[in-house]
Amino acid sequence: MQLLDGKKISEQLLEEIKADVEKLRSGNKKIPHLAVILVGNNPASETYVGSKIKTCERIGFKSTLIHLPDTIEEAVLLQKIEELNKDSDIDGFIVQSPLPKHISDEKVINAISPAKDVDGFHPENLGRMALNMPAFLPATPYGVITLLDRYDIPTAGKHCVVIGRSHIVGLPVSLLMMRNSKPGNCTVTVCHSKTVDLKSYTLQADILIVATGQTESVTADMVKEGAVVVDVGISRVPDDTKKSGFRLAGDVKFDEVAPKCSYITPVPGGVGPMTIASLLKNTLEGVKRKTA
Ligand code: GUN
């Protein structure tokens, strides 16, 4: 069993991006500028957004955090998005989810200019991605395929089973694994909360991608010997032996599944760090595309 070390690979990616930013700087070219809109005070979102901004600083990007109260009216948020669409200094921006209930996710996503949608959530980017046209790929799925690519894991002709069909992970990652591309060219099965006899599918997976948010729900009896397992989940589990009172766990029961795998992502240190690196890669690619 070999670990798919997302921490290590994301460090490599960030160093590559940083070197590109230095080249832009020495050539007096525009420095990539990412803006992040955060609405409200969801603690997990504050942590994620904080890491995104900190990582921008580390690699030499400009960044702007726009923190809005959770009472903000939808129309005011949409107006802010329009301002960012028009701001020529901003190369890309994201609106961190989840949003408060009174705000429509769909309206927000549709309001973002596809050319600045570095989260890759706009229907135009998702459509272009599905058709294998140049597009911003959603950060987590992009991180997953980059991890498989950097470990040179063969995917063509393999059976990839995805558990989960969310717009952020399950749906786009299943399309990416199916595309005529490398990584890709898998035969893909997508399982979800209404799937009957989940195990009968997961046992057939050469590559199993788990994105359900159901902590440690994939157990050893569900995994084929030699499978590649990618765990997208991350959650806190109470643990009295830890000073913090919790430990981080994925959607896969790592200790019992890992011995059966050829490759598996740890949690933390697997897909998580790849997500931020992929978002920043998108922002850099956006700048390059504009100036190409
Ligand atoms: N919330 C959880 N994951 C993401 C993400 O990739 N982008 C945004 N904007 N919000 C998220």
Side-chain angles (χ1 to χ4, degrees), residues 95-289:
V95 181
Q96 186 69 25
S97 59
L99 288 168
K101 287 200 173 56
H102 67 279
I103 295 175
S104 153
D105 287 326
E106 207 173 300
K107 276 194 196 160
V108 166
I109 288 164
N110 277 304
I112 299 172
S113 160
K116 294 194 179 186
D117 167 40
V118 284
D119 251 339
F121 292 169
H122 190 281
E124 184 173 317
N125 277 315
L126 276 173
R128 292 179 64 90
M129 179 195 76
L131 298 169
N132 217 356
M133 293 157 74
F136 290 124
L137 305 182
T140 302
Y142 191 10
V144 169
I145 62 165
T146 305
L147 201 50
L148 296 175
D149 193 36
R150 295 274 167 132
Y151 277 87
D152 225 3
I153 291 175
T155 57
K158 302 292 180 189
H159 186 193
C160 175
V161 175
V162 177
I163 321 180
R165 55 177 161 180
S166 72
H167 294 179
I168 292 185
V169 186
L171 172 71
V173 88
S174 62
L175 292 169
L176 288 173
M177 295 303 285
M178 186 170 58
R179 293 197 312 185
N180 184 357
S181 185
K182 186 178 175 296
N185 281 315
C186 286
T187 303
V188 177
T189 300
V190 183
C191 300
H192 48 76
S193 52
K194 300 291 189 290
T195 297
V196 175
D197 195 7
L198 178 64
K199 187 174 153 179
S200 68
Y201 298 99
T202 59
L203 275 173
Q204 296 178 46
D206 302 310
I207 301 170
L208 180 63
I209 302 178
V210 191
T212 56
Q214 304 290 313
T215 308
E216 297 183 329
S217 55
V218 170
T219 45
D221 59 311
M222 296 168 72
V223 178
K224 184 167 84 171
E225 201 67 48
V228 176
V229 173
V230 177
D231 186 350
V232 180
I234 186 155
S235 51
R236 288 179 174 192
V237 177
D239 185 342
D240 291 340
T241 68
K242 297 271 190 286
K243 226 161 82 185
S244 58
F246 68 86
R247 65 181 171 90
L248 293 172
D251 293 349
V252 174
K253 211 163 197 162
F254 183 88
D255 290 350
E256 61 175 62
V257 171
K260 295 186 86 174
C261 299
S262 55
Y263 294 89
I264 184 169
T265 55
V267 176
V271 174
M274 295 298 294
T275 298
I276 293 187
S278 302
L279 173 72
L280 302 180
K281 182 126 180 86
N282 273 345
T283 309
L284 176 69
E285 281 167 6
V287 173
K288 286 185 175 169
R289 217 179 283 163

